[in-house]
Amino acid sequence: LFYFNKIVSLCKTERRTLIFISTPLNKAFPIDCHNEDKFLRTISKSYPKSIFLDFRKMPLSDSCFLNMDHLNYKGAKIFTKELKKIWPTISK
């Protein structure tokens, strides 16, 4: 939380929107959500104007992953293309 608070402070000082992004995970990767509520409460409390973009369940084939939780070049290109589609709507 030390560095999280430093980032929040910097964003407030610079009047920037803090955007959290969860990247796609392989469908076989177990998504551990038992701390998700705590995480969302923490970011909401610390920086209510922050945005959380959750792409963990973005449907990508196995050929898009380097391993279970990292995209390879092909997957990164697809993910970036999707992110670019929504970016103009969240960066205002």
Side-chain angles (χ1 to χ4, degrees), residues 8-23:
V8 167
S9 178
L10 178 64
C11 288
K12 286 179 180 177
T13 301
E14 297 291 325
R15 295 187 178 130
R16 301 291 180 186
T17 301
L18 183 57
I19 301 172
F20 297 91
I21 301 174
S22 287
T23 57

PDB file of all heavy atoms in Angstrom, residues 8-23:
ATOM      1  N   VAL A   8      -1.425   7.361  -5.749  1.00  0.00           N
ATOM      2  CA  VAL A   8      -2.671   8.098  -5.530  1.00  0.00           C
ATOM      3  C   VAL A   8      -2.369   9.563  -5.250  1.00  0.00           C
ATOM      4  O   VAL A   8      -2.986  10.464  -5.824  1.00  0.00           O
ATOM      5  CB  VAL A   8      -3.489   7.472  -4.377  1.00  0.00           C
ATOM      6  CG1 VAL A   8      -4.606   8.400  -3.923  1.00  0.00           C
ATOM      7  CG2 VAL A   8      -4.062   6.128  -4.801  1.00  0.00           C
ATOM      8  N   SER A   9      -1.418   9.816  -4.393  1.00  0.00           N
ATOM      9  CA  SER A   9      -1.033  11.183  -4.056  1.00  0.00           C
ATOM     10  C   SER A   9      -0.558  11.950  -5.289  1.00  0.00           C
ATOM     11  O   SER A   9      -0.939  13.105  -5.512  1.00  0.00           O
ATOM     12  CB  SER A   9       0.059  11.163  -2.988  1.00  0.00           C
ATOM     13  OG  SER A   9       0.465  12.457  -2.680  1.00  0.00           O
ATOM     14  N   LEU A  10       0.276  11.310  -6.097  1.00  0.00           N
ATOM     15  CA  LEU A  10       0.769  11.945  -7.315  1.00  0.00           C
ATOM     16  C   LEU A  10      -0.382  12.264  -8.269  1.00  0.00           C
ATOM     17  O   LEU A  10      -0.438  13.359  -8.839  1.00  0.00           O
ATOM     18  CB  LEU A  10       1.799  11.044  -8.002  1.00  0.00           C
ATOM     19  CG  LEU A  10       2.367  11.565  -9.312  1.00  0.00           C
ATOM     20  CD1 LEU A  10       3.153  12.855  -9.095  1.00  0.00           C
ATOM     21  CD2 LEU A  10       3.254  10.507  -9.951  1.00  0.00           C
ATOM     22  N   CYS A  11      -1.304  11.324  -8.430  1.00  0.00           N
ATOM     23  CA  CYS A  11      -2.447  11.555  -9.316  1.00  0.00           C
ATOM     24  C   CYS A  11      -3.303  12.719  -8.823  1.00  0.00           C
ATOM     25  O   CYS A  11      -3.783  13.534  -9.620  1.00  0.00           O
ATOM     26  CB  CYS A  11      -3.295  10.294  -9.451  1.00  0.00           C
ATOM     27  SG  CYS A  11      -2.498   9.011 -10.434  1.00  0.00           S
ATOM     28  N   LYS A  12      -3.511  12.798  -7.526  1.00  0.00           N
ATOM     29  CA  LYS A  12      -4.282  13.916  -6.964  1.00  0.00           C
ATOM     30  C   LYS A  12      -3.574  15.237  -7.208  1.00  0.00           C
ATOM     31  O   LYS A  12      -4.189  16.207  -7.634  1.00  0.00           O
ATOM     32  CB  LYS A  12      -4.521  13.697  -5.469  1.00  0.00           C
ATOM     33  CG  LYS A  12      -5.548  12.635  -5.169  1.00  0.00           C
ATOM     34  CD  LYS A  12      -5.722  12.448  -3.668  1.00  0.00           C
ATOM     35  CE  LYS A  12      -6.763  11.387  -3.370  1.00  0.00           C
ATOM     36  NZ  LYS A  12      -6.909  11.140  -1.924  1.00  0.00           N
ATOM     37  N   THR A  13      -2.272  15.259  -6.940  1.00  0.00           N
ATOM     38  CA  THR A  13      -1.481  16.481  -7.129  1.00  0.00           C
ATOM     39  C   THR A  13      -1.507  16.940  -8.585  1.00  0.00           C
ATOM     40  O   THR A  13      -1.650  18.124  -8.877  1.00  0.00           O
ATOM     41  CB  THR A  13      -0.018  16.249  -6.685  1.00  0.00           C
ATOM     42  OG1 THR A  13      -0.010  15.877  -5.309  1.00  0.00           O
ATOM     43  CG2 THR A  13       0.828  17.486  -6.890  1.00  0.00           C
ATOM     44  N   GLU A  14      -1.370  15.973  -9.495  1.00  0.00           N
ATOM     45  CA  GLU A  14      -1.312  16.286 -10.927  1.00  0.00           C
ATOM     46  C   GLU A  14      -2.694  16.351 -11.575  1.00  0.00           C
ATOM     47  O   GLU A  14      -2.799  16.563 -12.784  1.00  0.00           O
ATOM     48  CB  GLU A  14      -0.455  15.238 -11.645  1.00  0.00           C
ATOM     49  CG  GLU A  14       0.990  15.204 -11.199  1.00  0.00           C
ATOM     50  CD  GLU A  14       1.764  16.439 -11.611  1.00  0.00           C
ATOM     51  OE1 GLU A  14       1.493  16.975 -12.704  1.00  0.00           O
ATOM     52  OE2 GLU A  14       2.628  16.875 -10.817  1.00  0.00           O
ATOM     53  N   ARG A  15      -3.739  16.135 -10.768  1.00  0.00           N
ATOM     54  CA  ARG A  15      -5.125  16.117 -11.264  1.00  0.00           C
ATOM     55  C   ARG A  15      -5.282  15.144 -12.431  1.00  0.00           C
ATOM     56  O   ARG A  15      -5.788  15.482 -13.495  1.00  0.00           O
ATOM     57  CB  ARG A  15      -5.573  17.513 -11.651  1.00  0.00           C
ATOM     58  CG  ARG A  15      -5.646  18.449 -10.492  1.00  0.00           C
ATOM     59  CD  ARG A  15      -6.241  19.770 -10.886  1.00  0.00           C
ATOM     60  NE  ARG A  15      -6.340  20.630  -9.724  1.00  0.00           N
ATOM     61  CZ  ARG A  15      -5.908  21.871  -9.687  1.00  0.00           C
ATOM     62  NH1 ARG A  15      -5.370  22.423 -10.754  1.00  0.00           N
ATOM     63  NH2 ARG A  15      -6.043  22.579  -8.596  1.00  0.00           N
ATOM     64  N   ARG A  16      -4.823  13.927 -12.193  1.00  0.00           N
ATOM     65  CA  ARG A  16      -4.896  12.853 -13.191  1.00  0.00           C
ATOM     66  C   ARG A  16      -5.848  11.772 -12.724  1.00  0.00           C
ATOM     67  O   ARG A  16      -5.988  11.523 -11.530  1.00  0.00           O
ATOM     68  CB  ARG A  16      -3.519  12.223 -13.422  1.00  0.00           C
ATOM     69  CG  ARG A  16      -2.464  13.175 -13.886  1.00  0.00           C
ATOM     70  CD  ARG A  16      -2.749  13.624 -15.282  1.00  0.00           C
ATOM     71  NE  ARG A  16      -1.706  14.548 -15.709  1.00  0.00           N
ATOM     72  CZ  ARG A  16      -1.742  15.187 -16.844  1.00  0.00           C
ATOM     73  NH1 ARG A  16      -2.737  15.018 -17.670  1.00  0.00           N
ATOM     74  NH2 ARG A  16      -0.776  16.010 -17.155  1.00  0.00           N
ATOM     75  N   THR A  17      -6.478  11.114 -13.669  1.00  0.00           N
ATOM     76  CA  THR A  17      -7.334   9.985 -13.350  1.00  0.00           C
ATOM     77  C   THR A  17      -6.469   8.750 -13.190  1.00  0.00           C
ATOM     78  O   THR A  17      -5.622   8.461 -14.038  1.00  0.00           O
ATOM     79  CB  THR A  17      -8.368   9.760 -14.467  1.00  0.00           C
ATOM     80  OG1 THR A  17      -9.145  10.940 -14.619  1.00  0.00           O
ATOM     81  CG2 THR A  17      -9.273   8.587 -14.156  1.00  0.00           C
ATOM     82  N   LEU A  18      -6.699   8.029 -12.113  1.00  0.00           N
ATOM     83  CA  LEU A  18      -5.975   6.797 -11.858  1.00  0.00           C
ATOM     84  C   LEU A  18      -6.766   5.644 -12.463  1.00  0.00           C
ATOM     85  O   LEU A  18      -7.927   5.435 -12.128  1.00  0.00           O
ATOM     86  CB  LEU A  18      -5.805   6.603 -10.347  1.00  0.00           C
ATOM     87  CG  LEU A  18      -5.021   5.405  -9.853  1.00  0.00           C
ATOM     88  CD1 LEU A  18      -3.609   5.388 -10.433  1.00  0.00           C
ATOM     89  CD2 LEU A  18      -4.968   5.418  -8.335  1.00  0.00           C
ATOM     90  N   ILE A  19      -6.145   4.914 -13.376  1.00  0.00           N
ATOM     91  CA  ILE A  19      -6.815   3.821 -14.067  1.00  0.00           C
ATOM     92  C   ILE A  19      -6.089   2.511 -13.772  1.00  0.00           C
ATOM     93  O   ILE A  19      -4.893   2.377 -14.023  1.00  0.00           O
ATOM     94  CB  ILE A  19      -6.859   4.069 -15.590  1.00  0.00           C
ATOM     95  CG1 ILE A  19      -7.584   5.382 -15.896  1.00  0.00           C
ATOM     96  CG2 ILE A  19      -7.534   2.893 -16.310  1.00  0.00           C
ATOM     97  CD1 ILE A  19      -7.524   5.820 -17.333  1.00  0.00           C
ATOM     98  N   PHE A  20      -6.842   1.571 -13.202  1.00  0.00           N
ATOM     99  CA  PHE A  20      -6.324   0.231 -12.932  1.00  0.00           C
ATOM    100  C   PHE A  20      -6.802  -0.694 -14.038  1.00  0.00           C
ATOM    101  O   PHE A  20      -7.965  -0.636 -14.431  1.00  0.00           O
ATOM    102  CB  PHE A  20      -6.855  -0.298 -11.591  1.00  0.00           C
ATOM    103  CG  PHE A  20      -6.409   0.506 -10.414  1.00  0.00           C
ATOM    104  CD1 PHE A  20      -7.168   1.566  -9.950  1.00  0.00           C
ATOM    105  CD2 PHE A  20      -5.224   0.202  -9.774  1.00  0.00           C
ATOM    106  CE1 PHE A  20      -6.760   2.306  -8.854  1.00  0.00           C
ATOM    107  CE2 PHE A  20      -4.807   0.937  -8.684  1.00  0.00           C
ATOM    108  CZ  PHE A  20      -5.576   1.988  -8.218  1.00  0.00           C
ATOM    109  N   ILE A  21      -5.921  -1.540 -14.520  1.00  0.00           N
ATOM    110  CA  ILE A  21      -6.276  -2.468 -15.591  1.00  0.00           C
ATOM    111  C   ILE A  21      -5.857  -3.879 -15.203  1.00  0.00           C
ATOM    112  O   ILE A  21      -4.689  -4.129 -14.908  1.00  0.00           O
ATOM    113  CB  ILE A  21      -5.595  -2.081 -16.924  1.00  0.00           C
ATOM    114  CG1 ILE A  21      -5.992  -0.667 -17.338  1.00  0.00           C
ATOM    115  CG2 ILE A  21      -5.934  -3.093 -18.014  1.00  0.00           C
ATOM    116  CD1 ILE A  21      -5.254  -0.142 -18.551  1.00  0.00           C
ATOM    117  N   SER A  22      -6.824  -4.784 -15.202  1.00  0.00           N
ATOM    118  CA  SER A  22      -6.521  -6.208 -15.066  1.00  0.00           C
ATOM    119  C   SER A  22      -6.452  -6.778 -16.469  1.00  0.00           C
ATOM    120  O   SER A  22      -7.413  -6.682 -17.232  1.00  0.00           O
ATOM    121  CB  SER A  22      -7.608  -6.932 -14.272  1.00  0.00           C
ATOM    122  OG  SER A  22      -7.535  -6.596 -12.931  1.00  0.00           O
ATOM    123  N   THR A  23      -5.331  -7.348 -16.811  1.00  0.00           N
ATOM    124  CA  THR A  23      -5.130  -7.866 -18.157  1.00  0.00           C
ATOM    125  C   THR A  23      -5.763  -9.254 -18.308  1.00  0.00           C
ATOM    126  O   THR A  23      -6.065  -9.916 -17.325  1.00  0.00           O
ATOM    127  CB  THR A  23      -3.631  -7.922 -18.486  1.00  0.00           C
ATOM    128  OG1 THR A  23      -2.974  -8.725 -17.510  1.00  0.00           O
ATOM    129  CG2 THR A  23      -3.024  -6.531 -18.497  1.00  0.00           C
TER     130      THR A  23
END
